[in-house]
Amino acid sequence: MSGAREKKRAKKMRNQPASVTLPAEPGPFPGGGSRACPLPGDVRSEQQYQQQKFSNQSSGPSYRKDQYFPKGQSRGERGRGRGGWQGGRQSVSDEMPKYITVSTFAQARAAEINAMLKAVSQKSSNSLVFQTLPRHMRRRAMSHNIKRLPRRLQEIAKKEAEKAVHQKKEQSKTKCRKARRRHINLVAEFNRRQRKNIWLETHIWHAKRFHMVKKWGYCLGNSPTEKCYRACYRAMTKHCLLQDLSYYCCLELTGKENELLKQLTRLCSVDTGLTFEEACCLSGRFEGSLNLYRADRYPEDTLGPVTFIWKPRDGSENRQLWIWVHPALKQDILRELKAIFQCSEAEDVCIPEPGTASVQEEKQMDVVLSLGKKRKKEDKEGEKAVPVKKIIGDGTRDPLQPYSWISQTTGIVISDRTMEILRYRLIGPLSHSVLTETLKAASLQTEMADSETELNNWWVENCKDSERVSLHQRQSAIFEMLEGISSPSVMPPGTILGLTVGDPRVNLPKKKTKAMPDFEKYQDNDKVRQLYLEGVPVDCAHSFIWDQDICKNVTENKISEQDLNHMRAQLLVPGSHLDLGPCESKIPILLVQQPGKMAGEDRPGWGSGWDIYLPKGWGMAFWIPFIYRGVRVGGLQEALKHSEYQRTPHTPNDFPDCQAGIQFAKELETSLLEKFKRRPPAKRANYVKLGTLSPFICPWGQLTKNWEGRVKASGEFVRPSSPRPDCCTTEGHSFCDPKAEVVKETSSETGGVEETMEITSSEGALKTEDVTGTQDVGERGETMTASDFIVLRSERLLMQVSAWCYPTAGKDRRLRLISRLGQKEMTEDIFLPMLASYPRALVWVNLSLLRKGNPELHAMICIPTDDDLLHLSKDKLFCGPQEPKHRDIFKDKIQKQKEEKKKKKKVSTKALEGDPAGVPDEETTEEHEDLILGLWSDALPDVTSHCSRTLLGYVTRGDFSLAAGCGEALGFVSLTGLLYMLRSQPADKKGLVLLRTPASLQYRFARLSIEV
C-alpha cells in the first residue's frame, strides 16, 4: 500500500469505534475479515484473540504503520506472506475454520452493530442539521423553514426545533435599553428593587455619588465617592453640610395630655436631664431630647436616646407628640409604648397612599403584562393603562402589617409615621443663610386657581381667617430675621419655627452659588436681639404639617417636574423668573434648631444647624435647591464624625447597655474577625503576645465585674506602686495567681533590653476544659448582657466626677473650679455612697493625647503607675512606657491541633483502603476545635490585671481630630476604676491615663475629661 493509500485508510479508520478493527492483513474469511473467535482448543489462537481484544480497547486512533503491518514486515514484503495481498487481490486462506460458536460470534457482532448505531445516532458536534450539508446545498431560509431542507433531513430538523423551543429561555419583554429606560418600566423596576431595603426619596441622587450600604432596612449613602474628608469638615465649620435623615422613625402619640404624661414619665428620669413634662418643651416652643428606659426600670434596661416635639396647644383637649427614634431602636421603643398605653388592638383606619399603592395594587398585573407595549394615543389600552407611580411614604410599609394602634381604656392612639415626614439636617454656621435664600414664605391666596382640582384649597380657607394671616406674617418676619444672625448657635437650643413656603423649584438660580449672610440688614436691630434672648413665640411654632389631611393634599397636588419644565420652556425670556401665581404649591414645613456642642469649654456651639421637616413627596423638590446654594452633602460617616467632634455618643455605636448597641457590637466583631481570618498568620498581629485579650469587642460586663471584685477583695483603695498591680480573685473564678505570673521588665530609662512577660499556670499550661471557643459573642453571654452593667447618666453625679478629674494647669485651679460648680472635694463620705449605689457602672469620657499618637477602635485605657508619672514629670518629651511581650500559651495547642488534623487525614485515607482500626477519636480533637493563632481562645481572665498597667476602660471611637489638632478618643471607663485612679493620683496629675492600641505595645499619655 502506498503512502497515499495508507493516509486515506488512516483517515477512514479515525472515526471508527474502538471495538471494530479492519487490519491490512486479510483474515481467513471472504472479504478480508478476521476470525471473530478462536477455535476451540487452539491455545495460540485464544492468546491472539485476547491480545487483539485488548488492543482494540485502547482509546484513541493510532496512526503508526505497526497498526497495519506486522512486526518485522516492511512494505516490500507485503503480499509474500501467507494470506497476504497478492497482485492487488485477496486470496482465500487455507486455514478457514470448519465450524464456529454461534453465540460467541453473534455476541461479538452485536457489540459492533451497537457501537455503529450509537455512532450514527449521536451527533459529534453542536451543529444543526442544515449545517451538516455541503455548502453548495445550504440556503439561508433553512434556519426557519424546514421544507427547504432535503426530505431525509426534515424529520430530524423538526425534532431539533421542538427541542430548541423547550430549552429557550423566556426573554424579557423590555430587553433593550430604550425600553428599560422608558419611564413606566423604570419606575416599576425601582419599586421592585426596594422591596427588601427601603429607598429614600433622594436615593437615586445618592446612588450616583455615594457608596451605598444596606442598614436597618434602608439603603443609605455611607460616604461620598470623591475625596472630601477635609472638605466636609470645613463645610461643618465654615459653611453648611446637608444630610438626609428621613430614615429616622417618627412615632406619633395622640390623646389627652395628662394620660400621656402619666405613662411617659415612667420611661425617663429627672436625674438624666429633661423629661416629657418640661414646661418649655410641653408648650411646643422647643425640641427635647432624653434617654428612654423600660417602665420603672431606671437606671437599668436602657431603650435608647430619642428626641420629641409637642404640638402647640390649639384649644382642644387632645395633644399630639412626635417621638423621633433611630431605626435600630424603633421596635424596642414601639413595643414598650404599646405595653404601657395598652394599645394592643390595631386601628382599622388606613391612610390611603395618594397615587401609589391604593390604585397600583388593584391593577398591578395588568400593568406588568403591558410593560413592553408602546402606548399610542389612539390605543384604547394605552388610554386606560394605569401609570406606575413611585412608591413613597406609607407605600414602603408592608400592607399586611398595621401601623396604628389604639387603647380601648384611655383612647390614646400610637401611629407609625415613618417615611411620612421627611427630615433634612443643615449643619454649619451659614445653614440659616441657605434656608433664607432657598425658601420664601408663601404668598396669600384668597381664590382658587382651578375649581376642578384641590390645589391649595386648604391654604385658601386659612387665608380667609384674619388670625391665621396675622400668624403667617409674624412667622415670615421671624424667618427673614434669620438672614442676619451670625450662627444658629446664638438661638436658644431646640427652637421651633413653623412656616408655610412656596415651591422652592421656582427660585432656582442659573448656576450654583454660595449662600452668604447679610450682616448690614439686621446688624443693630432690637428684634434680632430679642430673638436671641427669648426665642420664637409659642404661637409661631405652629405648623400645618401636623395635619395629615393637609400633608396628603400637598403631596397629591404637587406639580410634576415635566409640567414645570414645560412652563419654563414657554417663557418669553429664557432663564427669567417663573411666576406660577395661584398655581404655585404651598408647603407646610417645620424648622428646628440644633444647638451643636453644648458641653465643655472649647468650641461652644460647634456643629449647630437646622432640621427641616417636610411632607412626603417633596424630597427632591427641596434637595436640589439646597445643592444649588453651595452646600456639601454628607453620609453616615460624616454624621459619625459630626458626633465625634461634638464628643457626644452616637446611636447605636455608643450605647452598649441597650439591645441595639449589643447587636451593633456583635456585627462589628463578626466583620473584624472575618477580616482577621482572611489574612495569613504571618501577616496579622498576634494579640496573645501583645496582651490584648479582646481586640474585636469590648467586654464591658467582665470589666465592671473585675473592678467590683478588686474593691471587695482589697476593702479599700490602694495606690499602685509597681508595674504589675496586685492580683485579685473575683467571684467564682481565681483568674490571677501571684505565683503564676512572672514579670521581667527593665526600666524605661535604661532601655536596651527586650521586655518579656510570661503568663503561665501552676500546672505549666491552662486547662483545656475551660475552652469556650474564639471571640464569639454568642458563647460569652456575660460579655454582651446589658444587665451586667449600666451607663451612668445622672447629671448630678457626672458633674461631681467631672470636677474631680478636671485638668489642672495652675495652682489652686481645681479648688476654684469646684467652688464655682458648687461641687465638693473628693472624700470617702462622697464617693463611697456613689460606689455602693453603682458598683458596676460605666462613664462616658473623652480623651486627648498629650503628644503624638492616633487612638484606634477598642484601644485600652489604663492607669499609669507612680514610675510613669515620675518619668513624665522629669522628661516632658516622654511618650509613655511599653508593655512587655507576653508568651503565646496557645501556640502548642494550635500545633497539636494541626498534627491531630494531619493524623486524622492519614487515618481516614487508611480507612478508605479497608483498615477499620484507624478510626479517628473525636474527643481528642474536639477540645482544640476553635483555636485561632493570635487570639485568646480560653475564657477571659481578669481583664484589669492581665497586663502590666491596670485596665480602666476601652475606646469606642478614636481618630486624629481636625477640630482639636491632636489625637482624640471617646469611650467608657469603669466608675469604680476611675474613682480608684483619681483617689491615688497626685493633685497636679489628676486625669492622666495611658492609651494603648490593640496591635501595639506602646502606651501613650492622654488627658481624661468628662463633659456634662
Side-chain angles (χ1 to χ4, degrees):
M1 184 183 294
S2 63
R5 286 186 177 181
E6 183 181 350
K7 291 181 180 179
K8 189 175 182 180
R9 183 178 180 83
K11 187 176 181 181
K12 289 182 179 180
M13 296 295 297
R14 182 173 55 189
N15 295 327
Q16 292 296 329
S19 60
V20 179
T21 56
L22 296 174
E25 182 180 359
F29 296 97
S34 62
R35 200 165 43 180
C37 62
L39 294 174
D42 191 353
V43 180
R44 182 178 59 82
S45 300
E46 182 73 22
Q47 293 176 355
Q48 291 177 355
Y49 175 76
Q50 295 295 337
Q51 292 175 2
Q52 180 184 359
K53 183 179 179 182
F54 179 77
S55 63
N56 292 338
Q57 291 176 353
S58 61
S59 59
S62 176
Y63 302 104
R64 297 179 303 167
K65 67 179 182 179
D66 299 341
Q67 185 177 357
Y68 307 111
F69 299 100
K71 185 176 182 181
Q73 183 180 5
S74 63
R75 293 182 182 179
E77 297 175 350
R78 66 180 178 178
R80 293 185 229 169
R82 187 173 51 188
W85 292 86
Q86 295 179 359
R89 296 178 298 171
Q90 281 184 315
S91 62
V92 180
S93 176
D94 298 336
E95 297 182 358
M96 181 180 296
K98 295 181 179 180
Y99 59 90
I100 61 173
T101 306
V102 179
S103 61
T104 309
F105 181 79
Q107 186 178 2
R109 298 288 77 75
E112 293 178 359
I113 292 172
N114 289 334
M116 181 181 64
L117 293 176
K118 186 177 181 181
V120 172
S121 61
Q122 287 184 349
K123 293 199 311 179
S124 59
S125 63
N126 294 327
S127 60
L128 299 175
V129 175
F130 69 89
Q131 292 174 331
T132 59
L133 292 171
R135 293 186 181 275
H136 70 279
M137 293 180 64
R138 298 182 188 179
R139 296 294 181 268
R140 182 173 53 192
M142 289 179 179
S143 60
H144 58 85
N145 190 0
I146 298 176
K147 293 184 179 181
R148 297 302 300 268
L149 283 165
R151 289 183 178 179
R152 61 183 177 85
L153 299 177
Q154 288 183 6
E155 194 67 26
I156 304 176
K158 287 181 180 179
K159 293 181 179 180
E160 286 184 352
E162 293 176 358
K163 187 178 180 181
V165 169
H166 292 297
Q167 292 181 350
K168 188 177 181 181
K169 295 182 179 179
E170 185 179 354
Q171 295 182 354
S172 175
K173 296 181 180 179
T174 58
K175 57 182 179 179
C176 64
R177 176 175 172 80
K178 182 179 179 181
R180 290 197 312 268
R181 300 300 297 178
R182 197 173 292 134
H183 180 71
I184 182 174
N185 299 339
L186 199 63
V187 175
E189 176 67 11
F190 289 163
N191 292 343
R192 182 194 63 82
R193 287 166 56 185
Q194 54 177 318
R195 289 174 185 169
K196 291 185 179 180
N197 297 282
I198 301 174
W199 288 4
L200 306 183
E201 292 190 16
T202 58
H203 172 83
I204 301 297
W205 190 94
H206 278 91
K208 297 177 180 179
R209 300 164 179 86
F210 276 68
H211 298 288
M212 307 301 290
V213 294
K214 296 176 181 178
K215 280 188 173 183
W216 313 304
Y218 295 87
C219 198
L220 306 174
N222 189 40
S223 60
T225 53
E226 61 179 352
K227 294 182 179 179
C228 58
Y229 178 79
R230 290 178 177 268
C232 289
Y233 169 73
R234 286 195 298 268
M236 288 187 284
T237 307
K238 297 180 180 179
H239 193 249
C240 182
L241 182 81
L242 176 63
Q243 291 178 336
D244 189 354
L245 301 184
S246 301
Y247 60 90
Y248 268 71
C249 305
C250 178
L251 302 178
E252 182 181 84
L253 276 67
T254 306
K256 296 182 180 180
E257 180 179 324
N258 57 350
E259 294 290 341
L260 289 172
L261 293 177
K262 180 180 178 181
Q263 300 298 333
L264 289 175
T265 51
R266 299 172 57 193
L267 302 179
C268 53
S269 175
V270 184
D271 294 343
T272 59
L274 294 178
T275 62
F276 291 102
E277 296 179 301
E278 194 71 29
C280 59
C281 300
L282 190 60
S283 62
R285 291 182 59 195
F286 299 99
E287 179 192 48
S289 61
L290 48 82
N291 287 284
L292 293 184
Y293 298 84
R294 296 199 183 275
D296 305 323
R297 292 287 296 167
Y298 173 81
E300 300 177 355
D301 295 339
T302 307
L303 293 175
V306 299
T307 58
F308 63 94
I309 301 175
W310 286 94
K311 180 183 178 181
R313 295 183 177 90
D314 54 358
S316 63
E317 59 178 359
N318 286 345
R319 296 291 303 274
Q320 279 181 263
L321 171 67
W322 282 354
I323 300 179
W324 289 87
V325 302
H326 192 274
L329 313 171
K330 173 184 172 182
Q331 295 302 326
D332 293 336
I333 294 178
L334 181 59
R335 193 181 302 113
E336 190 68 19
L337 288 175
K338 290 192 294 184
I340 63 173
F341 288 110
Q342 300 177 0
C343 297
S344 57
E345 297 184 7
E347 194 176 15
D348 296 331
V349 178
C350 180
I351 304 173
E353 171 60 26
T356 60
S358 59
V359 183
Q360 180 183 351
E361 292 174 359
E362 296 177 0
K363 300 186 179 180
Q364 186 175 5
M365 295 303 299
D366 299 337
V367 174
V368 173
L369 292 176
S370 61
L371 285 181
K373 282 191 174 183
K374 289 187 176 180
R375 296 182 297 151
K376 299 180 181 179
K377 292 183 179 179
E378 64 274 6
D379 187 7
K380 296 181 180 180
E381 185 180 357
E383 294 176 358
K384 295 182 180 179
V386 180
V388 179
K389 299 291 185 69
K390 181 181 178 182
I391 292 180
I392 57 174
D394 55 3
T396 58
R397 298 192 185 101
D398 186 0
L400 302 178
Q401 184 178 1
Y403 49 91
S404 183
W405 302 267
I406 187 171
S407 174
Q408 298 296 334
T409 57
T410 59
I412 293 176
V413 180
I414 300 177
S415 302
D416 182 9
R417 299 198 65 187
T418 303
M419 297 294 293
E420 291 290 293
I421 305 296
L422 307 182
R423 183 178 178 183
Y424 294 160
R425 175 164 291 179
L426 298 167
I427 303 171
L430 298 186
S431 56
H432 57 281
S433 300
V434 174
L435 284 175
T436 52
E437 285 194 18
T438 306
L439 308 179
K440 301 299 179 184
S443 59
L444 300 178
Q445 181 180 351
T446 56
E447 295 182 358
M448 293 290 295
D450 189 358
S451 59
E452 297 181 358
T453 62
E454 297 181 356
L455 177 64
N456 298 334
N457 60 349
W458 63 275
W459 182 245
V460 173
E461 293 295 330
N462 283 283
C463 288
K464 294 179 181 179
D465 189 352
S466 60
E467 294 183 359
R468 295 291 178 88
V469 172
S470 175
L471 176 62
H472 176 68
Q473 292 175 350
R474 279 179 288 161
Q475 290 176 338
S476 303
I478 294 176
F479 179 71
E480 291 177 359
M481 282 192 290
L482 296 180
E483 192 176 358
I485 65 177
S486 58
S487 173
S489 59
V490 301
M491 298 286 292
T495 299
I496 297 176
L497 175 63
L499 191 64
T500 303
V501 298
D503 196 334
R505 296 173 293 179
V506 178
N507 303 322
L508 270 181
K510 294 182 181 180
K511 61 180 181 179
K512 284 187 178 182
T513 57
K514 196 169 184 179
M516 299 299 293
D518 187 4
F519 295 105
E520 297 179 357
K521 193 172 183 180
Y522 301 105
Q523 190 171 7
D524 296 328
N525 197 334
D526 295 336
K527 294 183 179 180
V528 178
R529 296 195 190 97
Q530 185 179 1
L531 186 64
Y532 290 167
L533 299 176
E534 299 180 2
V536 178
V538 179
D539 53 351
C540 292
H542 173 76
S543 174
F544 293 105
I545 199 173
W546 291 93
D547 193 337
Q548 296 188 24
D549 295 333
I550 292 179
C551 290
K552 176 183 174 181
N553 183 291
V554 171
T555 303
E556 286 180 345
N557 297 283
K558 174 190 173 186
I559 302 176
S560 65
E561 290 286 343
Q562 184 179 6
D563 296 340
L564 207 61
N565 292 332
H566 184 67
M567 295 177 187
R568 288 195 182 103
Q570 294 179 347
L571 291 174
L572 295 178
V573 180
S576 60
H577 179 72
L578 177 63
D579 187 10
L580 298 179
C583 295
E584 183 179 0
S585 300
K586 309 299 188 295
I587 307 101
I589 65 172
L590 200 65
L591 298 176
V592 180
Q593 189 260 5
Q594 297 298 317
K597 189 176 184 300
M598 300 179 63
E601 294 183 351
D602 57 332
R603 307 193 310 275
W606 186 93
S608 59
W610 290 89
D611 281 6
I612 176 172
Y613 298 86
L614 312 168
K616 65 178 179 182
W618 285 87
M620 290 303 297
F622 279 76
W623 185 267
I624 297 300
F626 284 146
I627 300 298
Y628 268 75
R629 264 64 184 194
V631 302
R632 185 169 287 274
V633 182
L636 296 178
Q637 291 299 320
E638 283 68 32
L640 186 67
K641 288 298 176 183
H642 177 240
S643 64
E644 183 177 329
Y645 290 158
Q646 290 189 56
R647 298 171 184 168
T648 56
H650 189 72
T651 310
N653 308 25
D654 301 322
F655 288 86
D657 55 339
C658 70
Q659 293 299 323
I662 295 174
Q663 182 66 25
F664 173 82
K666 291 180 181 179
E667 295 174 357
L668 179 63
E669 185 201 20
T670 303
S671 62
L672 293 178
L673 184 58
E674 290 177 355
K675 184 179 179 181
F676 179 80
K677 289 180 179 180
R678 284 197 296 266
R679 307 192 69 178
K683 301 297 180 183
R684 65 192 186 198
N686 189 327
Y687 292 109
V688 179
K689 290 185 177 181
L690 295 172
T692 305
L693 292 174
S694 182
F696 306 137
I697 194 170
C698 301
W700 303 117
Q702 183 82 0
L703 176 70
T704 54
K705 180 180 179 181
N706 293 153
W707 271 110
E708 184 184 18
R710 290 174 68 96
V711 172
K712 289 182 179 179
S714 61
E716 58 181 356
F717 288 101
V718 181
R719 189 170 168 182
S721 58
S722 62
R724 180 181 64 83
D726 297 336
C727 299
C728 64
T729 303
T730 57
E731 298 177 0
H733 296 279
S734 179
F735 291 121
C736 296
D737 187 4
K739 299 180 182 179
E741 193 175 42
V742 181
V743 181
K744 298 179 180 180
E745 180 181 3
T746 58
S747 175
S748 55
E749 298 179 357
T750 58
V753 181
E754 183 182 359
E755 299 175 351
T756 61
M757 187 180 221
E758 297 183 358
I759 301 179
T760 60
S761 65
S762 58
E763 298 177 359
L766 291 178
K767 296 182 180 181
T768 58
E769 288 83 355
D770 297 332
V771 176
T772 59
T774 57
Q775 307 272 337
D776 188 7
V777 183
E779 295 176 3
R780 298 181 182 181
E782 60 178 7
T783 306
M784 295 306 299
T785 304
S787 60
D788 289 347
F789 61 91
I790 63 169
V791 176
L792 184 64
R793 295 188 176 94
S794 173
E795 288 189 350
R796 181 181 60 83
L797 297 180
L798 287 176
M799 291 183 66
Q800 181 69 73
V801 179
S802 174
W804 289 341
C805 62
Y806 203 88
T808 56
K811 188 176 181 181
D812 297 336
R813 182 186 175 187
R814 177 181 301 277
L815 298 177
R816 294 196 303 270
L817 176 68
I818 291 176
S819 61
R820 180 168 60 89
L821 295 177
Q823 304 299 329
K824 302 178 182 179
E825 272 292 330
M826 187 176 183
T827 60
E828 293 185 358
D829 298 337
I830 303 299
F831 68 79
L832 286 181
M834 190 184 303
L835 288 179
S837 302
Y838 303 98
R840 294 188 181 182
L842 296 176
V843 182
W844 173 258
V845 298
N846 62 277
L847 305 105
S848 299
L849 292 176
L850 297 185
R851 286 169 187 83
K852 66 178 183 178
N854 192 17
E856 297 178 1
L857 180 67
H858 299 155
M860 290 163 282
I861 308 172
C862 303
I863 300 177
T865 61
D866 291 344
D867 295 338
D868 298 335
L869 297 177
L870 182 61
H871 195 174
L872 179 64
S873 60
K874 291 181 179 180
D875 184 8
K876 297 298 181 181
L877 300 179
F878 177 55
C879 293
Q882 280 197 348
E883 173 70 18
K885 285 186 178 179
H886 295 234
R887 187 177 68 86
D888 190 354
I889 60 176
F890 301 102
K891 189 175 183 180
D892 296 337
K893 295 182 181 180
I894 296 174
Q895 188 67 26
K896 184 179 178 182
Q897 178 183 356
K898 290 182 179 179
E899 294 175 356
E900 288 178 353
K901 285 184 178 180
K902 291 181 180 178
K903 184 179 178 181
K904 183 179 178 181
K905 188 176 181 181
K906 291 180 180 178
V907 170
S908 61
T909 54
K910 289 181 180 180
L912 292 176
E913 295 175 359
D915 185 12
V919 179
D921 188 7
E922 297 180 358
E923 296 181 357
T924 57
T925 58
E926 186 177 358
E927 58 185 12
H928 305 301
E929 185 178 358
D930 296 323
L931 296 180
I932 300 177
L933 183 63
L935 294 181
W936 189 275
S937 302
D938 268 341
L940 290 182
D942 190 345
V943 294
T944 60
S945 59
H946 179 71
C947 298
S948 60
R949 269 65 179 178
T950 306
L951 183 67
L952 189 62
Y954 292 96
V955 170
T956 58
R957 281 184 290 154
D959 198 359
F960 183 83
S961 173
L962 296 176
C966 64
E968 282 196 347
L970 300 171
F972 291 94
V973 298
S974 171
L975 175 63
T976 307
L978 180 62
L979 296 179
Y980 169 85
M981 182 191 72
L982 296 176
R983 179 68 174 172
S984 60
Q985 281 184 338
D988 56 341
K989 302 294 182 183
K990 295 283 186 182
L992 281 181
V993 295
L994 293 173
L995 276 182
R996 181 166 73 92
T997 57
S1000 175
L1001 294 172
Q1002 180 68 48
Y1003 289 95
R1004 298 194 181 277
F1005 283 101
R1007 178 75 66 181
L1008 181 144
S1009 61
I1010 300 174
E1011 295 183 349
V1012 185

